[in-house]
Every structure is written in structure tokens, then in C-alpha cells.
Coordinates of all heavy atoms in Angstrom, one line a residue:
M248 N -59.5 -10.8 -12.6 CA -59.7 -9.4 -12.4 C -58.8 -8.7 -13.4 O -57.8 -8.0 -13.1 CB -59.3 -9.0 -11.0 CG -60.3 -9.5 -10.0 SD -59.9 -8.9 -8.3 CE -60.3 -7.2 -8.5
E249 N -59.1 -8.8 -14.7 CA -58.3 -8.1 -15.7 C -58.9 -6.7 -15.9 O -60.1 -6.5 -15.8 CB -58.3 -8.9 -17.0 CG -57.5 -10.2 -16.8 CD -57.5 -11.0 -18.1 OE1 -57.9 -10.4 -19.2 OE2 -57.1 -12.1 -18.1
G250 N -58.1 -5.8 -16.4 CA -58.6 -4.5 -16.7 C -59.0 -3.7 -15.6 O -59.8 -2.8 -15.7
N251 N -58.5 -3.9 -14.4 CA -58.9 -3.3 -13.2 C -58.0 -2.1 -12.8 O -58.3 -1.4 -11.8 CB -59.0 -4.3 -12.0 CG -59.9 -3.8 -10.9 OD1 -60.9 -3.0 -11.2 ND2 -59.6 -4.2 -9.7
V252 N -56.9 -1.9 -13.5 CA -55.9 -0.9 -13.2 C -56.0 0.2 -14.3 O -56.1 -0.1 -15.5 CB -54.5 -1.5 -13.1 CG1 -53.5 -0.5 -12.6 CG2 -54.5 -2.7 -12.2
D253 N -55.9 1.4 -13.9 CA -55.9 2.5 -14.8 C -54.6 3.2 -14.9 O -54.1 3.7 -13.9 CB -57.0 3.6 -14.3 CG -57.2 4.7 -15.3 OD1 -56.4 4.9 -16.2 OD2 -58.2 5.4 -15.1
Y254 N -53.9 3.0 -16.0 CA -52.6 3.5 -16.2 C -52.5 4.9 -17.0 O -51.5 5.3 -17.5 CB -51.7 2.5 -17.0 CG -51.4 1.3 -16.2 CD1 -52.1 0.1 -16.5 CD2 -50.6 1.3 -15.1 CE1 -51.8 -1.1 -15.8 CE2 -50.3 0.1 -14.4 CZ -51.0 -1.1 -14.7 OH -50.7 -2.2 -14.0
R255 N -53.7 5.6 -17.0 CA -53.7 6.9 -17.7 C -52.7 7.9 -17.1 O -52.1 8.7 -17.8 CB -55.1 7.5 -17.6 CG -56.0 6.9 -18.7 CD -57.3 7.6 -18.7 NE -58.1 7.1 -17.5 CZ -59.4 7.3 -17.4 NH1 -60.1 8.0 -18.2 NH2 -60.0 6.8 -16.3
K256 N -52.4 7.8 -15.8 CA -51.4 8.7 -15.2 C -50.0 8.4 -15.8 O -49.2 9.3 -16.0 CB -51.3 8.4 -13.7 CG -52.5 8.9 -12.9 CD -52.3 8.7 -11.4 CE -53.4 9.2 -10.6 NZ -53.1 8.9 -9.1
L257 N -49.7 7.1 -16.1 CA -48.5 6.8 -16.7 C -48.3 7.4 -18.1 O -47.3 8.0 -18.4 CB -48.3 5.3 -16.8 CG -47.1 4.7 -17.6 CD1 -45.8 5.2 -17.0 CD2 -47.2 3.2 -17.7
W258 N -49.4 7.2 -18.9 CA -49.3 7.7 -20.3 C -49.2 9.3 -20.3 O -48.5 9.8 -21.1 CB -50.6 7.3 -21.1 CG -50.9 5.8 -21.0 CD1 -52.1 5.3 -20.7 CD2 -50.0 4.7 -21.1 NE1 -52.0 3.9 -20.7 CE2 -50.7 3.5 -20.9 CE3 -48.6 4.6 -21.3 CZ2 -50.1 2.3 -21.0 CZ3 -48.0 3.4 -21.4 CH2 -48.8 2.2 -21.2
K259 N -49.9 9.9 -19.3 CA -49.7 11.4 -19.2 C -48.3 11.8 -18.8 O -47.7 12.7 -19.3 CB -50.8 12.0 -18.3 CG -50.7 13.5 -18.2 CD -51.7 14.1 -17.3 CE -51.7 15.6 -17.2 NZ -50.5 16.2 -17.4
L260 N -47.8 11.1 -17.8 CA -46.4 11.3 -17.3 C -45.4 11.2 -18.5 O -44.5 12.0 -18.6 CB -46.1 10.4 -16.2 CG -44.7 10.6 -15.5 CD1 -44.6 12.0 -14.9 CD2 -44.5 9.6 -14.5
M261 N -45.6 10.2 -19.3 CA -44.7 10.0 -20.4 C -44.8 11.1 -21.4 O -43.8 11.6 -21.9 CB -45.0 8.6 -21.1 CG -44.6 7.4 -20.3 SD -45.1 5.9 -21.1 CE -44.3 5.9 -22.7
I262 N -46.0 11.6 -21.6 CA -46.1 12.8 -22.5 C -45.4 14.0 -21.9 O -44.7 14.7 -22.6 CB -47.6 13.1 -22.8 CG1 -48.3 12.0 -23.6 CG2 -47.8 14.5 -23.4 CD1 -49.8 12.1 -23.7
D263 N -45.6 14.2 -20.6 CA -45.0 15.3 -19.9 C -43.5 15.2 -19.9 O -42.8 16.3 -20.0 CB -45.4 15.4 -18.4 CG -46.9 15.7 -18.2 OD1 -47.5 16.2 -19.2 OD2 -47.4 15.5 -17.1
K264 N -42.9 14.0 -20.0 CA -41.5 13.8 -20.1 C -41.0 13.7 -21.5 O -39.9 13.3 -21.7 CB -41.1 12.6 -19.2 CG -41.3 12.9 -17.7 CD -40.8 11.7 -16.9 CE -40.9 12.0 -15.4 NZ -39.8 12.8 -14.9
N265 N -41.9 14.0 -22.4 CA -41.6 14.0 -23.9 C -41.1 12.6 -24.4 O -40.3 12.4 -25.2 CB -40.5 15.0 -24.2 CG -40.5 15.4 -25.6 OD1 -41.6 15.4 -26.3 ND2 -39.4 15.8 -26.2
I266 N -41.8 11.5 -23.8 CA -41.5 10.2 -24.3 C -42.7 9.9 -25.2 O -43.9 9.8 -24.8 CB -41.5 9.2 -23.1 CG1 -40.4 9.6 -22.1 CG2 -41.3 7.8 -23.6 CD1 -40.4 8.9 -20.8
K267 N -42.4 9.8 -26.5 CA -43.5 9.8 -27.5 C -44.1 8.5 -27.8 O -45.3 8.4 -28.1 CB -42.9 10.4 -28.8 CG -42.4 11.8 -28.6 CD -42.0 12.4 -30.0 CE -41.4 13.8 -29.9 NZ -42.0 14.7 -28.9
R268 N -43.4 7.4 -27.6 CA -44.0 6.1 -27.9 C -44.0 5.2 -26.7 O -43.0 5.2 -25.9 CB -43.2 5.4 -29.0 CG -43.2 6.2 -30.3 CD -42.3 5.5 -31.3 NE -40.9 5.6 -30.8 CZ -39.9 4.9 -31.3 NH1 -40.0 4.1 -32.4 NH2 -38.7 5.0 -30.7
K269 N -45.0 4.4 -26.6 CA -45.1 3.4 -25.4 C -43.9 2.5 -25.5 O -43.4 2.1 -24.4 CB -46.4 2.7 -25.5 CG -47.6 3.5 -25.1 CD -48.9 2.7 -25.1 CE -50.1 3.6 -24.8 NZ -51.3 2.8 -24.8
T270 N -43.5 2.1 -26.7 CA -42.3 1.2 -26.8 C -41.0 1.8 -26.3 O -40.1 1.0 -25.9 CB -42.2 0.7 -28.3 OG1 -42.1 1.9 -29.1 CG2 -43.3 -0.2 -28.7
D271 N -40.9 3.1 -26.2 CA -39.7 3.7 -25.6 C -39.6 3.4 -24.1 O -38.5 3.4 -23.6 CB -39.8 5.2 -25.8 CG -39.6 5.7 -27.2 OD1 -39.1 4.9 -28.0 OD2 -40.0 6.8 -27.5
L272 N -40.7 3.1 -23.5 CA -40.7 2.7 -22.1 C -40.0 1.4 -21.9 O -39.3 1.2 -20.8 CB -42.2 2.6 -21.6 CG -42.4 2.4 -20.1 CD1 -41.8 3.6 -19.3 CD2 -43.8 2.3 -19.7
I273 N -40.0 0.5 -22.8 CA -39.3 -0.8 -22.7 C -37.8 -0.5 -22.6 O -37.1 -1.0 -21.8 CB -39.6 -1.7 -24.0 CG1 -41.0 -2.1 -23.9 CG2 -38.6 -2.9 -24.0 CD1 -41.5 -2.8 -25.2
E274 N -37.3 0.4 -23.5 CA -35.9 0.7 -23.5 C -35.4 1.4 -22.3 O -34.4 1.2 -21.7 CB -35.5 1.5 -24.8 CG -34.1 1.7 -25.0 CD -33.8 2.4 -26.3 OE1 -34.5 2.1 -27.3 OE2 -32.8 3.2 -26.3
L275 N -36.3 2.4 -21.9 CA -35.9 3.2 -20.7 C -35.9 2.4 -19.4 O -35.1 2.6 -18.6 CB -36.9 4.4 -20.6 CG -36.8 5.5 -21.6 CD1 -38.0 6.4 -21.5 CD2 -35.5 6.3 -21.4
S276 N -36.9 1.6 -19.2 CA -37.1 0.9 -17.9 C -36.6 -0.5 -17.9 O -36.4 -1.1 -16.8 CB -38.5 1.0 -17.5 OG -39.3 0.2 -18.5
G277 N -36.5 -1.2 -19.0 CA -36.1 -2.6 -19.0 C -37.2 -3.6 -18.8 O -37.0 -4.7 -18.6
I278 N -38.5 -3.1 -19.0 CA -39.6 -4.0 -18.9 C -39.7 -4.8 -20.2 O -39.2 -4.4 -21.2 CB -40.9 -3.2 -18.6 CG1 -41.3 -2.2 -19.7 CG2 -40.9 -2.6 -17.2 CD1 -42.7 -1.6 -19.6
S279 N -40.5 -5.8 -20.2 CA -40.7 -6.7 -21.3 C -41.8 -6.2 -22.2 O -42.7 -5.4 -21.7 CB -40.9 -8.1 -20.9 OG -42.2 -8.2 -20.3
T280 N -41.9 -6.7 -23.4 CA -43.1 -6.4 -24.3 C -44.3 -6.9 -23.7 O -45.4 -6.3 -23.8 CB -42.9 -6.9 -25.7 OG1 -42.6 -8.3 -25.6 CG2 -41.7 -6.2 -26.4
N281 N -44.2 -8.0 -23.0 CA -45.4 -8.6 -22.3 C -45.9 -7.7 -21.2 O -47.2 -7.5 -21.1 CB -45.0 -9.9 -21.7 CG -46.2 -10.7 -21.1 OD1 -47.3 -10.7 -21.6 ND2 -46.0 -11.3 -19.9
V282 N -45.1 -7.0 -20.5 CA -45.5 -6.1 -19.4 C -46.1 -4.9 -20.1 O -47.2 -4.4 -19.6 CB -44.3 -5.7 -18.5 CG1 -44.7 -4.5 -17.6 CG2 -43.8 -6.8 -17.7
L283 N -45.6 -4.4 -21.2 CA -46.1 -3.2 -21.9 C -47.5 -3.6 -22.4 O -48.5 -2.8 -22.3 CB -45.3 -2.8 -23.1 CG -45.8 -1.6 -23.9 CD1 -45.9 -0.4 -23.0 CD2 -44.9 -1.4 -25.1
A284 N -47.7 -4.8 -22.9 CA -49.1 -5.3 -23.3 C -50.0 -5.2 -22.2 O -51.2 -4.8 -22.3 CB -49.0 -6.6 -24.0
K285 N -49.6 -5.7 -21.0 CA -50.5 -5.7 -19.8 C -50.8 -4.3 -19.4 O -52.0 -4.0 -19.0 CB -49.8 -6.4 -18.6 CG -49.8 -7.9 -18.8 CD -49.1 -8.5 -17.6 CE -49.2 -10.1 -17.7 NZ -48.8 -10.7 -16.4
L286 N -49.9 -3.3 -19.5 CA -50.1 -1.9 -19.2 C -51.2 -1.4 -20.1 O -52.1 -0.7 -19.7 CB -48.8 -1.1 -19.3 CG -47.8 -1.3 -18.3 CD1 -46.4 -0.7 -18.7 CD2 -48.2 -0.7 -16.9
T287 N -51.1 -1.7 -21.4 CA -52.0 -1.2 -22.4 C -53.4 -1.7 -22.2 O -54.4 -1.0 -22.4 CB -51.5 -1.5 -23.8 OG1 -50.2 -1.0 -24.0 CG2 -52.4 -1.0 -24.9
K288 N -53.5 -2.9 -21.7 CA -54.8 -3.6 -21.4 C -55.4 -3.2 -20.0 O -56.5 -3.5 -19.7 CB -54.7 -5.1 -21.5 CG -54.5 -5.6 -23.0 CD -54.7 -7.1 -23.0 CE -53.5 -7.8 -22.4 NZ -53.6 -9.3 -22.6
G289 N -54.6 -2.6 -19.2 CA -55.0 -2.2 -17.9 C -55.0 -3.4 -16.9 O -55.7 -3.5 -15.9
D290 N -54.1 -4.4 -17.2 CA -53.9 -5.5 -16.3 C -52.9 -5.3 -15.3 O -52.1 -4.4 -15.4 CB -53.5 -6.8 -17.2 CG -54.6 -7.3 -18.1 OD1 -55.7 -6.9 -17.9 OD2 -54.2 -8.0 -19.0
Y291 N -52.9 -6.1 -14.2 CA -51.9 -6.0 -13.2 C -50.5 -6.3 -13.7 O -50.4 -7.3 -14.5 CB -52.3 -6.9 -12.0 CG -53.5 -6.5 -11.2 CD1 -54.7 -7.1 -11.4 CD2 -53.4 -5.4 -10.3 CE1 -55.8 -6.7 -10.7 CE2 -54.5 -5.0 -9.6 CZ -55.7 -5.6 -9.8 OH -56.8 -5.2 -9.1
I292 N -49.5 -5.7 -13.2 CA -48.1 -6.0 -13.4 C -47.4 -6.2 -12.1 O -47.9 -5.8 -11.0 CB -47.4 -5.0 -14.3 CG1 -47.3 -3.6 -13.6 CG2 -48.1 -4.9 -15.7 CD1 -46.4 -2.6 -14.3
S293 N -46.2 -6.8 -12.1 CA -45.5 -7.1 -10.9 C -45.0 -5.8 -10.2 O -44.8 -4.8 -10.9 CB -44.4 -8.0 -11.1 OG -43.4 -7.4 -11.9
M294 N -44.7 -5.9 -8.9 CA -44.1 -4.8 -8.2 C -42.7 -4.5 -8.8 O -42.3 -3.4 -8.9 CB -44.0 -5.1 -6.7 CG -45.3 -5.0 -6.0 SD -46.0 -3.3 -6.1 CE -44.8 -2.4 -5.2
E295 N -42.0 -5.5 -9.2 CA -40.7 -5.4 -9.8 C -40.8 -4.5 -11.1 O -40.0 -3.6 -11.3 CB -40.1 -6.7 -10.2 CG -38.7 -6.6 -10.8 CD -38.1 -8.0 -11.2 OE1 -38.8 -9.0 -11.0 OE2 -37.0 -8.0 -11.7
S296 N -41.8 -4.7 -11.9 CA -42.0 -3.9 -13.1 C -42.4 -2.5 -12.8 O -41.9 -1.5 -13.4 CB -43.1 -4.6 -14.0 OG -42.7 -5.8 -14.5
L297 N -43.3 -2.3 -11.8 CA -43.6 -1.0 -11.3 C -42.4 -0.2 -10.9 O -42.2 0.9 -11.2 CB -44.7 -1.1 -10.2 CG -46.1 -1.5 -10.6 CD1 -46.9 -1.7 -9.4 CD2 -46.7 -0.4 -11.5
Q298 N -41.5 -0.9 -10.1 CA -40.3 -0.3 -9.6 C -39.4 0.1 -10.7 O -38.8 1.2 -10.7 CB -39.6 -1.3 -8.7 CG -38.4 -0.7 -8.0 CD -37.8 -1.7 -7.0 OE1 -38.0 -2.9 -7.1 NE2 -36.9 -1.2 -6.2
K299 N -39.3 -0.7 -11.8 CA -38.4 -0.4 -12.9 C -38.9 0.9 -13.6 O -38.2 1.8 -14.0 CB -38.4 -1.5 -13.9 CG -37.6 -2.7 -13.5 CD -37.6 -3.8 -14.5 CE -36.8 -5.0 -14.1 NZ -36.9 -6.0 -15.2
I300 N -40.3 1.0 -13.8 CA -40.9 2.1 -14.5 C -40.7 3.4 -13.6 O -40.3 4.4 -14.1 CB -42.4 1.9 -14.7 CG1 -42.5 0.7 -15.7 CG2 -43.1 3.1 -15.2 CD1 -43.9 0.2 -15.9
C301 N -40.9 3.3 -12.3 CA -40.8 4.4 -11.4 C -39.3 4.9 -11.4 O -39.1 6.1 -11.4 CB -41.2 4.1 -10.0 SG -43.0 3.9 -9.8
K302 N -38.4 4.0 -11.4 CA -37.0 4.4 -11.4 C -36.6 5.1 -12.7 O -36.0 6.1 -12.7 CB -36.1 3.2 -11.2 CG -34.6 3.5 -11.1 CD -33.8 2.3 -10.7 CE -32.3 2.6 -10.6 NZ -31.5 1.5 -10.4
A303 N -37.1 4.6 -13.8 CA -36.8 5.1 -15.1 C -37.4 6.5 -15.3 O -36.8 7.4 -15.9 CB -37.3 4.2 -16.2
L304 N -38.6 6.7 -14.7 CA -39.3 8.0 -14.9 C -39.2 8.9 -13.7 O -39.7 10.0 -13.7 CB -40.8 7.7 -15.2 CG -41.2 6.9 -16.4 CD1 -42.7 6.7 -16.5 CD2 -40.6 7.6 -17.7
D305 N -38.4 8.5 -12.7 CA -38.2 9.3 -11.5 C -39.5 9.7 -10.9 O -39.8 10.9 -10.7 CB -37.3 10.5 -11.8 CG -36.8 11.2 -10.6 OD1 -36.7 10.5 -9.5 OD2 -36.6 12.4 -10.6
C306 N -40.3 8.7 -10.5 CA -41.6 9.0 -10.0 C -42.0 8.0 -8.9 O -41.2 7.0 -8.7 CB -42.7 9.0 -11.1 SG -43.0 7.4 -11.9
D307 N -43.1 8.1 -8.3 CA -43.6 7.2 -7.3 C -44.7 6.4 -7.9 O -45.3 6.7 -9.0 CB -44.2 8.0 -6.1 CG -44.4 7.2 -4.9 OD1 -43.8 6.1 -4.8 OD2 -45.3 7.6 -4.1
V308 N -45.1 5.3 -7.3 CA -46.1 4.3 -7.9 C -47.4 5.0 -8.1 O -48.1 4.8 -9.1 CB -46.3 3.1 -7.0 CG1 -46.7 1.9 -7.8 CG2 -45.1 2.8 -6.1
G309 N -47.8 5.9 -7.1 CA -49.1 6.6 -7.2 C -49.1 7.6 -8.4 O -50.2 8.0 -8.8
D310 N -47.9 7.9 -9.0 CA -47.9 8.8 -10.1 C -48.2 8.1 -11.4 O -48.4 8.7 -12.5 CB -46.5 9.4 -10.2 CG -46.1 10.3 -9.0 OD1 -47.0 10.8 -8.4 OD2 -44.9 10.3 -8.7
I311 N -48.3 6.7 -11.4 CA -48.4 6.0 -12.7 C -49.7 5.2 -12.8 O -50.0 4.8 -13.9 CB -47.2 5.2 -13.0 CG1 -46.9 4.1 -12.0 CG2 -46.0 6.0 -13.2 CD1 -45.8 3.1 -12.3
F312 N -50.4 5.0 -11.7 CA -51.6 4.2 -11.9 C -52.6 4.5 -10.8 O -52.3 5.0 -9.7 CB -51.4 2.7 -12.0 CG -51.1 2.0 -10.7 CD1 -52.1 1.4 -10.0 CD2 -49.8 2.0 -10.1 CE1 -51.9 0.8 -8.8 CE2 -49.6 1.3 -8.9 CZ -50.6 0.7 -8.3
S313 N -53.9 4.1 -11.0 CA -54.9 4.1 -10.0 C -55.7 2.8 -10.2 O -55.7 2.3 -11.3 CB -55.7 5.4 -10.1 OG -56.4 5.4 -11.3
L314 N -56.4 2.4 -9.1 CA -57.3 1.2 -9.2 C -58.7 1.7 -9.5 O -59.2 2.6 -8.9 CB -57.2 0.5 -7.9 CG -55.9 -0.1 -7.5 CD1 -56.0 -0.8 -6.1 CD2 -55.4 -1.2 -8.5
N315 N -59.3 0.9 -10.4 CA -60.7 1.2 -10.8 C -61.6 0.5 -9.7 O -61.3 -0.6 -9.3 CB -61.1 0.6 -12.1 CG -60.4 1.4 -13.2 OD1 -60.2 2.6 -13.2 ND2 -60.1 0.7 -14.3
D316 N -62.6 1.2 -9.3 CA -63.5 0.7 -8.3 C -64.6 -0.1 -9.0 O -65.4 0.6 -9.7 CB -64.1 1.8 -7.4 CG -64.9 1.2 -6.2 OD1 -64.7 0.1 -5.9 OD2 -65.6 2.0 -5.7
T317 N -64.6 -1.4 -9.0 CA -65.6 -2.2 -9.7 C -66.6 -2.9 -8.7 O -66.3 -2.9 -7.5 CB -65.0 -3.2 -10.6 OG1 -64.3 -4.2 -9.7 CG2 -64.0 -2.6 -11.6
E318 N -67.6 -3.4 -9.2 CA -68.6 -4.1 -8.3 C -67.9 -5.3 -7.6 O -68.3 -5.7 -6.5 CB -69.8 -4.6 -9.1 CG -70.7 -3.5 -9.6 CD -71.3 -2.7 -8.4 OE1 -71.8 -3.4 -7.5 OE2 -71.4 -1.5 -8.5
D319 N -66.9 -5.9 -8.3 CA -66.2 -7.1 -7.7 C -65.5 -6.8 -6.5 O -65.3 -7.6 -5.6 CB -65.3 -7.7 -8.7 CG -65.9 -8.2 -10.0 OD1 -67.2 -8.5 -9.9 OD2 -65.3 -8.4 -11.0
N320 N -65.1 -5.5 -6.3 CA -64.3 -5.1 -5.2 C -65.1 -4.7 -4.0 O -64.6 -4.3 -2.9 CB -63.4 -3.9 -5.6 CG -62.3 -4.4 -6.5 OD1 -62.0 -5.6 -6.6 ND2 -61.8 -3.4 -7.3
K321 N -66.4 -4.6 -4.1 CA -67.3 -4.1 -3.0 C -67.8 -5.2 -2.2 O -67.9 -6.4 -2.5 CB -68.5 -3.3 -3.6 CG -68.0 -2.1 -4.2 CD -69.1 -1.3 -4.8 CE -68.6 0.0 -5.4 NZ -69.7 0.8 -6.0

């Protein structure tokens, strides 16, 4: 189930917080480049990574992603 998560909320939040590059998220939150690649592809990441991002951006999990409703989930 790849590409089932929509991280557009995260990218918008980063813009709102004046974080210009996705790679800046690595430095701010301590996530790995592998996690950033998964975010970019819309793949699932661990709760630990979500927690790191939320702590770094001072937000809640619902502020950074939503789940896409696909035929596989019905």
C-alpha cells in the first residue's frame, strides 16, 4: 500500500513556518533521508518519525497528513 498517505498538509505547514527546503526538515526534526524520501513519495512512515516532525513543527499529527481513500480500503 504505497502512496496512500497525503502529506500536502506538511508541505503547506512548512511554507507557513518559512521552512523553504524539504531537507531542512531533516535538520529540524532528526528524521533520516530515507524518511524524507518516503514522505515525498506519500509512503507510510513510523509513528516515531511522525512524533519527531510534530515536535519540531509544534503541531499535531492531523496537521501534517491525511489518508487517501482508495479502492483497496473499501
Side-chain angles (χ1 to χ4, degrees):
M248 292 183 71
E249 294 181 10
N251 201 29
V252 187
D253 185 347
Y254 293 107
R255 280 183 284 193
K256 289 181 178 182
L257 171 61
W258 311 133
K259 183 179 181 331
L260 183 62
M261 288 175 59
I262 291 167
D263 292 346
K264 292 185 177 275
N265 204 28
I266 301 168
K267 299 189 185 317
R268 298 174 300 168
K269 289 181 180 179
T270 51
D271 291 339
L272 190 59
I273 294 170
E274 189 174 322
L275 287 170
S276 64
I278 61 169
S279 67
T280 53
N281 185 40
V282 170
L283 182 61
K285 286 182 176 188
L286 288 168
T287 303
K288 289 190 286 184
D290 291 346
Y291 289 103
I292 61 171
S293 71
M294 284 301 295
E295 180 183 1
S296 296
L297 287 171
Q298 185 177 14
K299 287 179 180 180
I300 293 167
C301 288
K302 185 175 179 183
L304 299 180
D305 190 29
C306 66
D307 193 23
V308 210
D310 297 330
I311 61 175
F312 80 94
S313 59
L314 296 175
N315 291 328
D316 191 18
T317 63
E318 290 297 318
D319 295 340
N320 292 339
K321 293 181 180 178

